[in-house]
Amino acid sequence: MSVLVTGAYGDVGSHVVAGLLSAGVPVRGTSRTPRTGESPDGVEMVRLDLDEPETWPAALDGVKKVFLYAHADRVADFAGAARAAGVEHIVLLSSAAVVDPATRHSRSAVMHSAVEEALRESGIAWTFLRPTTFATKQLHLAPAIRSGEVLRIPFLQAPTASIHERDIADAAVCALTGAGHEGKGYWLTGPQALTQQEHIEVIAAVTGRPIEVVDLAPEDAEPKLPEFFIRIMTELMNNPCVVTPAVEEITGVPARSFRQWAEDHIKDFS
């Protein structure tokens, strides 16, 4: 069985590649711009651009399973090409926006729903991984934290059960190598709901550096926040934050805590 991993340099894709290699599964990685000398041993890297059908045949040749990043344009055509090439199963990195009531009508939900529907109609077995907010979202604060700036953040009390990128990758590897995941969608979350302030407090505890935070009114944010974003965040604050056991159900191991993520990324904040 050979597995094609799209976005093999990405936060999730790189860990999917590593997990498959550890399981002894042949891997072909893809990128729009493969980089010479930056691939793990045993990984064939090829160019794949979902906007360029001429790049598909070489990437799909001999592949039985695909880990696919959501891409609304041409997904139906790509799925057709994959089926013609003999692909039997596609594991899609979708989004919890599709199933979360607060975000179900967002642009993200519409895009991911369209990709999911195209794969349902493709005739290929599918599995949808629907992660909530990536813990890596906190990395946008890293430059300010390193320089000791005061953080001015709107919706500081908004809760999320942010998820470690390695948990998403572990779930993908299990879905690609195990049985019984076809035709299923998994809402993946971290093990605990934390407010944005609590996320920052964890980072401060791990780095051993105090971080001053100010709860900024949404209307005072610069650049100006879009109305749809304010609406979604307000709804998220007014609804319970969903925490699911899906990571442990798929992998047999509890989801990593946000503290574990912060420890894994301590160099980014120090």
Side-chain angles (χ1 to χ4, degrees):
M1 178 187 71
S2 182
V3 177
L4 182 72
V5 178
T6 65
Y9 296 132
D11 289 337
V12 177
S14 60
H15 289 296
V16 174
V17 168
L20 291 170
L21 290 176
S22 295
V25 176
V27 178
R28 178 180 295 150
T30 79
S31 171
R32 288 184 175 182
T33 54
R35 303 190 287 264
T36 303
E38 293 190 29
S39 306
D41 290 342
V43 176
E44 175 194 7
M45 284 297 300
V46 300
R47 183 171 182 272
L48 174 67
D49 189 329
L50 294 183
D51 290 324
E52 299 179 18
E54 63 271 21
T55 66
W56 302 352
L60 291 168
D61 183 41
V63 165
K64 293 300 180 185
K65 299 195 176 189
V66 175
F67 174 72
L68 182 66
Y69 278 74
H71 188 289
D73 296 333
R74 293 187 176 273
V75 64
D77 293 336
F78 178 78
R83 183 179 183 185
V87 171
E88 299 169 355
H89 184 196
I90 294 178
V91 175
L92 174 72
L93 182 58
S94 185
S95 170
V98 173
V99 287
D100 191 326
T103 58
R104 198 173 291 164
H105 301 294
S106 67
R107 297 174 186 176
S108 176
V110 170
M111 186 275 285
H112 285 92
S113 294
V115 175
E116 289 189 4
E117 185 60 27
L119 292 184
R120 283 193 187 94
E121 296 177 354
S122 70
I124 300 176
W126 51 264
T127 303
F128 301 149
L129 303 181
R130 298 165 173 154
T132 187
T133 304
F134 286 28
T136 52
K137 180 182 178 183
Q138 301 299 325
L139 291 176
H140 83 280
L141 298 175
I145 290 174
R146 288 196 302 267
S147 63
E149 295 177 27
V150 175
L151 304 182
R152 302 179 184 279
I153 299 175
F155 301 108
L156 195 57
Q157 300 308 315
T160 57
S162 60
I163 186 168
H164 198 306
E165 63 273 15
R166 289 178 62 190
D167 283 326
I168 303 170
D170 288 350
V173 170
C174 288
L176 289 162
T177 60
H181 300 289
E182 295 84 352
K184 293 184 178 180
Y186 296 105
W187 187 344
L188 305 178
T189 77
Q192 183 182 20
L194 298 174
T195 65
Q196 178 59 45
Q197 181 167 351
E198 289 169 332
H199 280 87
I200 294 169
E201 289 170 355
V202 170
I203 295 170
V206 167
T207 60
R209 298 172 57 186
I211 302 172
E212 187 176 351
V213 187
V214 173
D215 194 354
L216 185 68
E219 59 271 19
D220 294 334
E222 291 293 341
K224 186 175 176 62
L225 297 175
E227 286 297 326
F228 76 87
F229 179 80
I230 294 176
R231 184 173 63 253
I232 288 173
M233 291 303 297
T234 301
E235 191 164 350
L236 285 171
M237 288 187 67
N238 292 331
N239 287 278
C241 180
V242 173
V243 178
T244 77
V247 169
E248 185 170 6
E249 290 174 355
I250 300 170
T251 67
V253 180
R256 295 168 175 87
S257 67
F258 180 73
R259 185 181 182 94
Q260 177 65 63
W261 180 89
E263 290 172 350
D264 289 345
H265 291 267
I266 189 169
K267 291 182 179 178
D268 294 304
F269 296 98
S270 301

